[in-house]
Amino acid sequence: MFPLMLALFLSNLDQTIVAAALPSIGADLRASADISWIVTAYLLTSAVTALVFGKLGDLHGRKKILQFSIVVFLAGSLLSGTANSAPLLALFRALQGIGGGGITSLVLAITGDLASPRQRARHQALLGMTAALALVTGPLLGGAFSEGLSWRWIFYVNLPIGITAFAMVTANLHLPRPAHDSGPVDVPGALVATLFTASVMLFMTWGGHAYAWSSGVVLGLIAFSIVSVPLYVYVEHRTAKPITPLHLFRSTVFSLATAQFFLAALVLFAGMLYVPMFIQTVQHKSAFVAGLYDIPLLLGLVAAAAISGPLITRTGRYKLYPVTGSVLVTLSMLALSHADQDTRPLAMIVPLAVAGAGIGFFVQVCLLAGQNAVGYEDLGTATGVLNFFRTLGGAFGAALFGTILAAGLRSPRPTAAESVTAFQAVFFWTTPSMALALVLALVTQEKPLSEATAASARS
């Protein structure tokens, strides 16, 4: 588990470590207009490769695809550290995301090789805590490196950790070989998935900012996003080895798990991004202090994973946790929607920790239930699909709530009252997502986790 945890730490660290260093990067490279693409490029490619590499792991063996992913990630990290322009850095970050998406998808799928569904909860609790630790550490390391050394070290720091992970995976990880070590790569499916993801991220990023929502560019991107969904279904239906086998969605449990994963990530990223912004903008605290408010959110997530993992292992039951989680998140975000410039730190920290715990119940169970609903031969593919929806949910949430915030801050110089109202609207409008998640959790038919070992996986 240790090399898997190291690899997962890296891929999650690079989702947040760049955010704190963006001002330094923009100043050094003399580019600020499109600097957000340094973050978006990573999310875009990692979302798509979570799908593709999960399928490749099923076809060719997860160990060697994981090794390849680590090598690509490290190459992207080294090149990102040497980039001398914003477009080059965005390109190298896209390369890094190719490896990062593969790492996340494969590490989570490998837990299916190492343990039976019932025992898998304990393994995934460790991985959940690792991912949350990386998300907490990212902004702190990003700020420390950009201020104390250079922003380039946020990429160079990956090299020794990644090389160690690669060496330990090579030496210690022994997995069953797939029944058929061959198969064509679903290039058309990967291409359509890339175009769909890019168009969604572009219209959510540009809409209301770079272009008006009624502009031809944004409307064209929205139209293309809609058209690409049936096109993707058509391509996957006609492909012999699709990266997203459509039969996965015949399982109601799997379909509902992907939807809940999307909603949980949407609310998580809203909290991670806009609570620190509220602290900085409304309460006029420093950027460093504002970043600390992400810690209770993510510590709550870690605690929930640590508690629910052993309990699920002991009982084999899991439906209670997303139901409880949706209620906790809804109540917490409602409390945050009343925060203003005079709200004391404890009144922010407690709801954030409770919201993190609620999201932790979702993250733990959605992955476990989704994996448990499919056959072993589709384990990597299913994990890739789940991670694709998680990444898409995070990107969609960041853009959606950014649009809500911008709508509340229309004037060039918003008053203090307007700023408070705008942020309160952001926190309030997370609650419909959790209400929908509660409905989905209640209608999900619980499929008890098997106590049997993964003998078929090792035969």
Side-chain angles (χ1 to χ4, degrees):
M1 287 297 295
F2 184 69
L4 298 180
M5 291 165 69
L6 276 181
L8 188 67
F9 181 85
L10 283 180
S11 64
N12 281 269
L13 183 72
D14 274 69
Q15 293 183 27
T16 59
I17 194 172
V18 174
L22 280 179
S24 299
I25 295 173
D28 189 37
L29 299 181
R30 297 177 182 176
S32 57
D34 296 321
I35 203 73
S36 62
W37 275 104
I38 294 171
V39 176
T40 308
Y42 184 93
L43 291 174
L44 171 62
T45 54
S46 64
V48 176
T49 54
L51 283 174
V52 177
F53 283 24
K55 181 65 177 180
L56 290 177
D58 286 338
L59 292 175
H60 303 289
R62 278 183 269 281
K63 178 176 178 176
K64 61 184 179 182
I65 303 300
L66 175 61
Q67 290 171 308
F68 175 75
S69 299
I70 294 173
V71 169
V72 172
F73 180 86
L74 293 178
S77 298
L78 179 61
L79 291 170
S80 294
T82 61
N84 56 12
S85 70
L88 268 182
L89 181 55
L91 177 64
F92 296 147
R93 281 281 289 167
L95 177 64
Q96 199 184 26
I98 292 174
I103 290 171
T104 301
S105 180
L106 290 160
V107 165
L108 295 174
I110 285 170
T111 60
D113 296 309
L114 301 180
S116 66
R118 187 158 172 173
Q119 296 299 322
R120 201 177 297 160
R122 183 179 291 111
H123 292 69
Q124 290 179 351
L126 287 172
L127 296 178
M129 289 186 282
T130 301
L133 178 63
L135 293 174
V136 170
T137 307
L140 301 179
L141 280 181
F145 282 137
S146 60
E147 291 180 12
L149 292 170
S150 165
W151 61 266
R152 298 181 187 276
W153 279 95
I154 67 178
F155 303 112
Y156 293 148
V157 73
N158 294 331
L159 300 178
I161 302 174
I163 290 170
T164 302
F166 181 87
M168 293 185 70
V169 164
T170 302
N172 299 329
L173 186 63
H174 306 288
L175 300 177
R177 293 183 63 82
H180 303 287
D181 189 17
S182 63
V185 178
D186 181 14
V187 175
L191 179 60
V192 176
T194 302
L195 294 174
F196 165 76
T197 308
S199 59
V200 169
M201 288 191 175
L202 282 172
F203 84 72
M204 291 302 300
T205 302
W206 287 349
H209 300 287
Y211 299 94
W213 283 104
S214 58
S215 68
V217 173
V218 173
L219 292 177
L221 288 168
I222 292 173
F224 184 83
S225 302
I226 295 171
V227 170
S228 62
V229 173
L231 176 61
Y232 186 70
V233 171
Y234 174 77
V235 169
E236 295 301 271
H237 181 70
R238 294 180 61 85
T239 303
K241 299 283 186 180
I243 58 176
T244 309
L246 300 180
H247 69 261
L248 294 178
F249 293 96
R250 293 177 193 153
S251 167
T252 305
V253 173
F254 180 80
S255 299
L256 293 175
T258 59
Q260 291 176 76
F261 219 2
F262 177 91
L263 293 170
L266 183 146
V267 176
L268 175 62
F269 272 73
M272 285 178 55
L273 293 176
Y274 295 107
V275 168
M277 194 180 297
F278 168 85
I279 297 298
Q280 199 171 357
T281 304
V282 173
Q283 298 196 341
H284 306 294
K285 302 289 178 65
S286 69
F288 178 77
V289 171
L292 295 177
Y293 277 78
D294 273 342
I295 293 178
L297 179 71
L298 294 167
L299 286 181
L301 192 154
V302 170
I307 292 168
S308 60
L311 289 176
I312 293 170
T313 299
R314 189 177 306 134
T315 64
R317 299 287 178 172
Y318 55 85
K319 181 173 179 175
L320 172 66
Y321 299 100
V323 172
T324 304
S326 59
V327 174
L328 292 177
V329 177
T330 300
L331 295 176
S332 300
M333 298 310 289
L334 283 174
L336 288 175
S337 71
H338 291 88
D340 57 26
Q341 62 268 29
D342 299 319
T343 301
R344 299 180 66 82
L346 191 61
M348 297 286 295
I349 290 170
V350 172
L352 285 170
V354 174
I359 294 172
F361 287 146
F362 267 103
V363 171
Q364 174 83 333
V365 170
C366 290
L367 183 63
L368 196 64
Q371 289 181 333
N372 190 57
V374 303
Y376 177 78
E377 67 279 3
D378 290 321
L379 181 64
T381 304
T383 306
V385 172
L386 288 161
N387 276 291
F388 174 78
F389 276 88
R390 185 196 68 164
T391 304
L392 202 60
F396 192 84
L400 173 65
F401 294 114
T403 300
I404 293 173
L405 180 64
L409 300 173
R410 281 183 224 148
S411 60
R413 294 173 181 257
T415 65
E418 288 173 337
S419 297
V420 169
T421 303
F423 278 100
Q424 288 177 343
V426 168
F427 302 142
F428 174 79
W429 283 109
T430 61
T431 57
S433 300
M434 282 295 102
L436 177 58
L438 173 61
V439 173
L440 297 180
L442 288 172
V443 302
T444 298
Q445 183 180 4
E446 184 175 48
K447 182 180 178 182
L449 301 178
S450 171
E451 187 62 85
T453 60
S456 61
R458 293 180 169 83
S459 61

